[in-house]
Amino acid sequence: MAWQWFHRLGSPRWFYQKTSVWMPWLALASVLLIGVGSVWGLGFAPEDAKQGNSYRIIYIHVPAAFLALAGYYIMAISGAIGLIWKMKLSFVVMRAAAPIGAVLTFIALFTGAVWGKPTWGTYWVWDARITSMLILLFLYIGVIALARAFSREQVADKACALLALVGTVNIPIIYKSVDWWFTLHQPATIKLTEKSSIDPSMFYPLLIMIIGFYCFYAWTLIAHTREKILQREWRTNWVQQLMQGESITTESKEG
Amino acid sequence: MQFQFESLAAFLHMDGHGPFVWAAYGVTFLALAAMALQPRLQRRRLKKELERQQRIEARRRAVEGRQSKAAEPA
């Protein structure tokens, strides 16, 4: 059956076993890429003509902001899949994505503020991009708080998914905020359709950092999801066996 | 590809922008490390909790065993 993989995906146990192999590779890729990108960006990329050395913050600011936005989509889509197909695993992914997204949004805001001081002369401006990013942080925190507010897990799952979906309206606003309201924040530097306004010597380390952050995001999201699976399923045999250090063999069922 | 700074001191100072750049990188890497380590801590906590559950279960069984022995007619 063509649909078999989809139903398998919904099985927390199957997910746990499948992802065991990926974890060390994702970890290695993220550490290597972020390591190389940081050293390159901090020490070897040329100094910016206008902003001097403070522009080097771009190498963490932009990837963190990218993933803060992409991570919100991942959280909202997981919530939607959970609501539509009643998939337990999807809700687990949604809940794991909330704190990770919150941390990345915080990083984007913090590095932006620290970058703003030498560049604009102030840590904080209420411009459109920064304000909409702050709202994104509150949305993430809202999902985390809502998840803890209910004693029944299924109720919490549904409530979080709804909040995540409603909050999706904020994402296009963040993307477009620099074009709609021309304020202090500079317009997009990297464009997919036309020539980017950044020199290749500065762009390559940034690209490495972005890919590295994507790997890091995948790694931590899966790691957090796996722990949440164990917490939710601790009564089951396979988790009990796993915790006692026994290896579990995957039973392939022909269905 | 060459190193953009004359010395380590210049690299740390970055023409006065050093504190901002290093603060940004420092806080970012701390936050990322915390994110990466959290699942490990959760695993440890779950292990402890499960061991505690097993001890409780074992004790309960021991008590039940004694009680059923005591209930038997001599």
Side-chain angles (χ1 to χ4, degrees):
Chain A
M1 280 301 286
W3 279 96
Q4 203 182 10
W5 65 269
F6 191 71
H7 289 294
R8 274 237 184 107
L9 258 183
S11 150
R13 181 182 174 180
W14 180 85
F15 177 89
Y16 188 95
Q17 287 161 353
K18 201 81 196 154
T19 50
S20 294
V21 188
W22 308 350
M23 300 305 285
W25 295 108
L26 279 171
L28 185 72
S30 20
V31 170
L32 273 180
L33 287 164
I34 291 175
V36 168
S38 297
V39 172
W40 192 345
L42 279 167
F44 293 90
E47 196 177 330
D48 187 68
K50 274 198 218 122
Q51 301 188 8
N53 281 313
S54 70
Y55 99 95
R56 297 182 190 280
I57 294 173
I58 200 175
Y59 295 114
I60 42 179
H61 177 74
V62 168
F66 267 31
L67 265 304
L69 293 168
Y72 195 89
Y73 273 133
I74 289 172
M75 182 175 79
I77 290 168
S78 304
I81 293 173
L83 286 177
I84 297 163
W85 284 290
K86 308 267 186 292
M87 250 194 213
K88 248 194 308 186
L89 179 64
S90 197
F91 283 133
V92 182
V93 172
M94 171 192 76
R95 288 217 200 173
I100 301 173
V103 168
L104 286 164
T105 312
F106 162 76
I107 290 174
L109 284 167
F110 179 83
T111 53
V114 174
W115 189 3
K117 186 67 184 166
T119 312
W120 302 332
T122 174
Y123 286 106
W124 192 265
V125 209
W126 290 102
D127 91 330
R129 170 60 64 90
I130 300 171
T131 309
S132 50
M133 275 306 269
L134 187 65
I135 291 169
L136 183 75
L137 179 64
F138 292 156
L139 281 166
Y140 274 128
I141 292 171
V143 171
I144 297 167
L146 202 57
R148 292 182 181 183
F150 296 95
S151 53
R152 285 190 51 211
E153 225 149 46
Q154 284 143 329
V155 182
D157 282 341
K158 278 183 187 161
C160 288
L162 281 174
L163 176 63
L165 282 169
V166 170
T168 321
V169 73
N170 189 31
I171 307 288
I173 294 175
I174 297 176
Y175 274 120
K176 288 285 167 199
S177 57
V178 280
D179 305 329
W180 289 342
W181 300 280
F182 191 74
T183 46
L184 268 175
H185 204 287
Q186 58 182 326
T189 311
I190 306 162
K191 299 176 191 73
L192 293 172
T193 44
E194 47 198 294
K195 204 175 174 309
S196 298
S197 59
I198 180 169
D199 191 74
S201 61
M202 295 176 176
F203 180 62
Y204 291 135
L206 182 57
L207 196 63
I208 290 176
M209 280 301 258
I210 291 169
I211 300 167
F213 265 67
Y214 265 95
C215 288
F216 180 86
Y217 184 87
W219 174 43
T220 44
L221 181 66
I222 295 171
H224 283 239
T225 304
R226 285 159 58 92
E227 286 322 302
K228 281 198 185 333
I229 286 172
L230 294 185
Q231 280 166 11
R232 280 193 181 202
E233 310 247 319
W234 70 269
R235 282 190 183 82
T236 58
N237 260 337
W238 74 270
V239 174
Q240 301 261 351
Q241 277 174 3
L242 181 90
M243 293 314 248
Q244 281 161 11
E246 293 174 25
S247 61
I248 354 165
T249 46
T250 335
E251 299 159 33
S252 55
K253 282 189 189 136
E254 292 301 321
Chain B
M1 280 292 282
Q2 67 177 74
F3 195 58
Q4 299 291 318
F5 299 93
E6 314 241 314
S7 62
L8 182 68
F11 181 50
L12 292 176
H13 187 250
M14 288 195 177
D15 303 328
H17 285 162
F20 299 106
V21 175
W22 295 113
Y25 274 80
V27 169
T28 300
F29 285 134
L30 273 178
L32 293 185
M35 297 286 307
L37 289 173
Q38 210 204 346
R40 269 163 209 269
L41 297 175
Q42 283 178 328
R43 172 73 54 103
R44 219 175 275 167
R45 234 178 285 141
L46 184 65
K47 248 200 165 97
K48 276 209 179 96
E49 181 58 30
L50 283 180
E51 278 163 10
R52 204 177 66 94
Q53 295 277 1
Q54 277 164 351
R55 277 202 303 276
I56 292 169
E57 194 61 26
R59 228 176 296 151
R60 204 172 56 92
R61 259 192 243 121
V63 169
E64 274 177 3
R66 273 204 298 276
Q67 279 172 345
S68 60
K69 268 209 181 85
E72 280 171 15

